[in-house]
Amino acid sequence: MTGPAGVRCLLMRGGTSKGAYFLAEDLPAEPAARDDLLLRIMGSPDPRQIDGLGGAHPLTSKVAVVSPSGAPEADVDYLFLQVGLETAEVSDRQNCGNLLAGVGPFAVERGLVPPGRDETAVRIRMVNTGDLATATFPTPGGRVAYTGDAEISGVPGTAAAVVVDFPPGNGPLLPTGHVRDTVSGTEVTCVDNGMPTVLVPAESLKVTGDEDPADLEANEELALRLRDIRLAAGELMGLGDVSATTVPKLTLLAPPRHGGAVTTRTFIPVRCHTSIGVLGAASVAAGLRIEGSVGAGLAAPPADGDRLRIEHPTGFTDIDSSLTTGPDGLPRARRTAVVRTARKIFDGTVFPRPAATPLPARSSGGQG
Ligand code: NQM
């Protein structure tokens, strides 16, 4: 008997994440059928994802679905889907700025956007949030170049730079309307510059903020405190009951250790990130720049220029971030930009695990 039909797929590293990229037209249009297929492609539910493409960590259990955009201000639409490990869930409730780095190259590879002669700028609408981004990357001679000399922490070696610019979003930077909130007895700043994030001084949770991610994950008391803070902050941020969602993220802040602006440890939301998400870093950067925020006192932002160096467990992420004041007197993002890299790993056909079939009826009462 032959297995299920194969699906055209491009596996890419995008920034410090890895995911399966698909054209929307190669997947079922109906979300339930699409999600069932993606679970079988990625090997979920199974914490090891042994029977699929997933890499047994939230950062490597990701999918990008790309299609031509119907919006005049974008070339392509990018829908990000987070595929569960233990659970048979596919979520569109969060965005991913790391897989975003591969969307432009993928759009050129699949012929959705014609390449420029030297470089190509692809305008992307991020369907999860409605926000826009422009990714610019080298396409010498009309082909995507993946090799180059850009280095990002958390990825070995160097690769071609993908410069991602985010125009100001429409939403408020401070979703609760306050610079500080007290949640579950802890002072936090809730900020959203592309990724809803709760900023928490590490010290207030009795950690230093530069521990190894595995040690933080093993700290059960910390896990309970973070869970309480997140559930309460989620409500205040207008996200409702967040017990089963991956947003908001939580970022512990501490003074910089290596000459950057701040030390971070980010929970996404249970596992501790080995670096930091792009939009997560954009939110941290904006949060540090807000006067009176919990980060403003402990960070050391440079005196001039837009660039902020966010330290994380495997190095740093540089984010260009500047703010302005909205008509309501509250801070708004003016400009956010970041350099990432992406790499095509394979381009081919992926064969999903067969769909679950009902077990044949048993003819005798087995071991009951
Ligand atoms: O914040 C991890 C990642 C992300 C999300 C997460 C991301 C972002 O590192 O833009 O990219 O927060 O779950 O890929």
Side-chain angles (χ1 to χ4, degrees), residues 150-188:
E151 201 177 338
I152 59 172
S153 300
V155 177
T158 64
V162 179
V163 180
V164 187
D165 259 284
F166 301 93
N170 296 322
L173 269 183
L174 294 170
T176 70
H178 305 122
V179 173
R180 284 177 185 234
D181 292 284
T182 302
V183 289
S184 187
T186 306
E187 277 219 301
V188 302

Side-chain angles (χ1 to χ4, degrees), residues 16-17 59 62 82 94-99 195 249 268 273 275-281:
T16 50
S17 283
L59 297 178
K62 301 188 163 197
Q82 180 74 49
Q94 81 159 77
N95 194 1
C96 175
N98 271 309
L99 281 209
M195 180 66 74
K249 313 289 178 185
I268 58 171
H273 207 304
S275 54
I276 188 169
V278 172
L279 297 162

Side-chain angles (χ1 to χ4, degrees), residues 126-159:
M126 299 181 281
V127 177
N128 304 75
T129 56
D131 292 336
L132 298 168
T134 300
T136 308
F137 47 95
T139 48
R143 289 175 70 99
V144 180
Y146 293 98
T147 50
D149 56 11
E151 201 177 338
I152 59 172
S153 300
V155 177
T158 64

Side-chain angles (χ1 to χ4, degrees), residues 162-256:
V162 179
V163 180
V164 187
D165 259 284
F166 301 93
N170 296 322
L173 269 183
L174 294 170
T176 70
H178 305 122
V179 173
R180 284 177 185 234
D181 292 284
T182 302
V183 289
S184 187
T186 306
E187 277 219 301
V188 302
T189 294
C190 301
V191 59
D192 185 353
N193 189 19
M195 180 66 74
T197 306
V198 185
L199 306 181
V200 191
E203 196 182 26
S204 65
L205 298 179
K206 301 196 186 71
V207 290
T208 59
D210 66 349
E211 292 88 348
D212 198 81
D215 293 340
L216 290 173
E217 284 181 357
N219 183 335
E220 285 173 23
E221 195 188 323
L222 178 69
L224 291 175
R225 293 283 294 120
L226 291 175
R227 184 171 184 279
D228 289 349
I229 291 170
R230 204 176 84 83
L231 290 179
E235 294 282 355
L236 281 185
M237 294 168 90
L239 298 168
D241 175 6
V242 298
S243 50
T245 67
T246 57
V247 285
K249 313 289 178 185
L250 296 145
T251 298
L252 306 187
L253 303 177

